[in-house]
Amino acid sequence: MRPALPRELRSWGDEIGLLFRRWWWIAALVLVLSWLPPVPAVQVAFTVGCLAVAALLCLWVATTAHRMPRRPDEKWKRDVSRNVLASWTAVAARVGLGVSGYGGNGPVVPAISTPVWDGWICAVCVSLPQGLGREHLQAQADLLAQAFAARRATVHGEHIGALVLRLEYADALEHPFSLELPVAWDGKTVPMGKDATGSLWSLRLGPHTLVAGSSGSGKASLVWGLLLGLAEPIHRGLVEVWGIDRKGGMELALGRALLTRFAADAERSVILLEDAVAAMQQRASDLAGKTRQHTPSIDSPTVVVLIDELAALTAYETDRDLLRRANAALATLASQGRAVGFIVFACLQDPRKETLPARGLFTQTVGLRLRDRMETAMVLGDGAVAAGARCHEISPTTPGVAYVLPEDGSPPERVRAGLITDDMIRDVASRFAAPRQVPVVIPEAPTPEERQPRTPRAQRRTSRKESAS
């Protein structure tokens, strides 16, 4: 027996058919009354009854029309939802999501709820029967997307009784866009772009963040999205950004006014990192016994250490001493800096452990377009690909599209950073310059002490024995 459709998915034909099935006795009553003798009392009752029925019909038409979709996209979503509900059992069995029932009964397939739409994403709650796990549903996600004519399908949730299958029918991130920056800062997040539903995507400011992506994947959009998103607290002195640009300053120099400290060469970059470690340790000493969590203020701002092309410091530097010092300072910052308001935001192209020994200390990771599944797993974790994060399948024509792995362990989120132009950078940098800029100074090498001329040694007297011999 076909299950009854949910009320929100019924069409006019469904509603009229249901009305006649449930209220046929009203039509029969009207027909009987119409054949009764023309007695005044009966005529009055008949007239009142007809008026009541007409009023009820008008009320039913009004309420039903209010629930009916009006726009073409709403009607299309309703039809898709009806198709998912009607064909789910057959599709699930066909793609291998069925298990044998008890007592030799037919196959049992997962149960689903009424689809719910979020933009162009159809979310279906799935309850798996005994014998199926989350990995089974993830493994068949592509086949389910094909069966329901969706562009992609992902699985969210951990409990087998409360999984969500998300069917994406349109890509809200297909075309580039710009955000209105800067905006008022909430103290916790920075608006960076849009998520898969087309809603605003904001990146948490607090966890150390690692951005990995191949050349041309859109790392600059994330770097400038962070800087322009923080322009208002930077100008007020609540946030300081210490920038390191190992492209010789080519990337960050355009917005130099937003940076409190800036370094482009290897030696100054290492000195900046070591200065950050020293300032972090001093702040930790000042806060000891007073609080366990730093609160930004003008006297004690949050310091964001922004590093572009991190691998140039941690792997490709030819000076072994500078390489050792850079890795040591970065590891210290990433392991101790968060509680006292020192945050690392770093970008690189090669996410291998050999390139970044301290990779595990970055608890919030962003994967742009990467070369293969292995690099995706390096950045987002072993289960990221199975959960739908496929950085290696991002098109080169969509720079800025990425998957974000939040530190709370929730599934990777597909996002796209907003487009930042040079004119936007110049405008914001001129209007929201940092209140102070501190140069990075290379300490002078100690001069060797002038050695005093040696006094000639006195001639040693010879003993009589030596003279005799």
Side-chain angles (χ1 to χ4, degrees):
M1 181 177 178
R2 182 180 176 181
L5 280 171
R7 190 177 184 184
E8 60 270 20
L9 299 182
R10 296 174 192 163
S11 64
W12 276 109
D14 299 323
E15 292 287 359
I16 292 173
L18 187 63
L19 178 69
F20 276 107
R21 286 196 302 271
R22 289 184 176 178
W23 305 102
W24 60 268
W25 57 270
I26 294 181
L29 180 62
V30 171
L31 183 63
V32 169
L33 289 176
S34 65
W35 286 91
L36 290 177
V39 180
V42 174
Q43 290 181 343
V44 171
F46 178 74
T47 303
V48 172
C50 289
L51 291 175
V53 169
L56 289 174
L57 283 174
C58 291
L59 181 62
W60 173 81
V61 170
T63 55
T64 303
H66 180 71
R67 288 188 287 103
M68 289 294 166
R70 295 175 177 81
R71 302 196 311 268
D73 60 320
E74 293 178 342
K75 295 179 180 178
W76 179 84
K77 290 178 181 179
R78 181 196 62 188
D79 294 340
V80 170
S81 298
R82 289 166 61 97
N83 177 58
V84 170
L85 285 176
S87 58
W88 171 259
T89 301
V91 169
R94 192 177 299 123
V95 301
L97 287 177
V99 294
S100 300
Y102 291 109
N105 295 327
V108 178
V109 300
I112 62 171
S113 67
T114 303
V116 177
W117 288 85
D118 185 4
W120 291 100
I121 297 178
C122 179
V124 183
C125 292
V126 182
S127 179
L128 298 178
Q130 188 177 15
L132 291 180
R134 186 177 191 271
E135 63 277 7
H136 296 95
L137 187 60
Q138 286 180 333
Q140 306 303 330
D142 288 344
L143 295 179
L144 291 173
Q146 180 186 25
F148 296 119
R151 299 186 63 157
R152 66 176 57 86
T154 56
V155 179
H156 295 256
E158 296 296 333
H159 195 278
I160 61 172
L163 296 177
V164 178
L165 177 67
R166 293 167 61 90
L167 301 168
E168 298 182 24
Y169 284 91
D171 191 357
L173 309 178
E174 185 175 4
H175 303 289
F177 56 88
S178 296
L179 296 179
E180 292 294 332
L181 296 174
V183 296
W185 186 45
D186 62 4
K188 298 179 181 179
T189 61
V190 182
M192 301 285 282
K194 295 180 180 179
D195 61 17
T197 66
S199 303
L200 180 67
W201 163 56
S202 295
L203 187 72
R204 285 196 61 197
L205 185 68
H208 301 300
T209 303
L210 177 66
V211 179
S214 302
S215 179
S217 61
K219 293 187 294 295
S221 296
L222 288 161
V223 168
W224 287 110
L226 177 74
L227 274 171
L228 270 58
L230 290 174
E232 188 262 344
I234 288 174
H235 188 60
R236 290 168 53 196
L238 295 176
V239 173
E240 289 184 357
V241 180
W242 296 13
I244 295 176
D245 184 359
R246 289 311 316 277
K247 294 179 181 176
M250 181 178 177
E251 185 66 51
L252 296 181
L254 194 60
R256 176 71 178 84
L258 295 169
L259 305 176
T260 301
R261 308 196 73 184
F262 176 67
D265 60 81
E267 188 171 5
R268 285 183 173 82
S269 299
V270 173
I271 292 173
L272 186 149
L273 286 176
E274 293 176 335
D275 288 349
V277 170
M280 175 199 70
Q281 293 173 340
Q282 180 61 49
R283 181 179 290 179
S285 176
D286 295 340
L287 296 178
K290 299 177 182 177
T291 180
R292 294 188 302 160
Q293 190 66 41
H294 170 260
T295 301
S297 65
I298 294 177
D299 296 329
S300 180
T302 294
V303 177
V304 179
V305 181
L306 175 62
I307 309 173
D308 193 21
E309 298 299 338
L310 176 61
L313 281 176
T314 60
Y316 307 148
E317 176 56 50
T318 56
D319 188 317
R320 291 185 177 273
D321 182 60
L322 290 179
L323 184 69
R324 176 189 59 79
R325 290 164 56 191
N327 278 301
L330 183 66
T332 305
L333 274 175
S335 60
Q336 304 176 19
R338 178 175 179 176
V340 291
F342 279 75
I343 302 164
V344 181
F345 186 99
C347 303
L348 50 67
Q349 296 185 35
D350 185 355
R352 290 178 301 166
K353 195 76 172 180
E354 295 82 1
T355 304
L356 179 59
R359 189 183 69 194
L361 297 176
F362 290 86
T363 55
Q364 182 172 247
T365 53
V366 181
L368 292 155
R369 178 170 50 83
L370 295 168
R371 291 178 298 179
D372 51 42
R373 296 169 65 98
M374 186 176 297
E375 287 194 350
T376 301
M378 289 178 188
V379 177
L380 301 178
D382 293 335
V385 176
R390 300 179 179 179
C391 301
H392 51 287
E393 294 182 3
I394 296 175
S395 172
T397 62
T398 56
V401 172
Y403 289 90
V404 180
L405 183 66
E407 66 168 356
D408 59 4
S410 56
E413 181 183 11
R414 187 169 179 266
V415 298
R416 185 171 189 176
L419 178 65
I420 306 293
T421 64
D422 290 355
D423 291 337
M424 292 174 62
I425 297 172
R426 294 189 185 96
D427 175 62
V428 174
S430 64
R431 293 189 294 117
F432 294 90
R436 69 187 187 113
Q437 292 187 339
V438 181
V440 179
V441 179
I442 300 177
E444 296 182 0
T447 57
E449 297 181 1
E450 294 184 3
R451 302 178 64 181
Q452 299 293 332
R454 296 178 60 183
T455 56
R457 294 178 62 184
Q459 188 175 3
R460 186 168 66 93
R461 289 184 177 184
T462 57
S463 65
R464 291 180 179 180
K465 283 187 177 181
E466 289 176 343
S467 299
S469 62

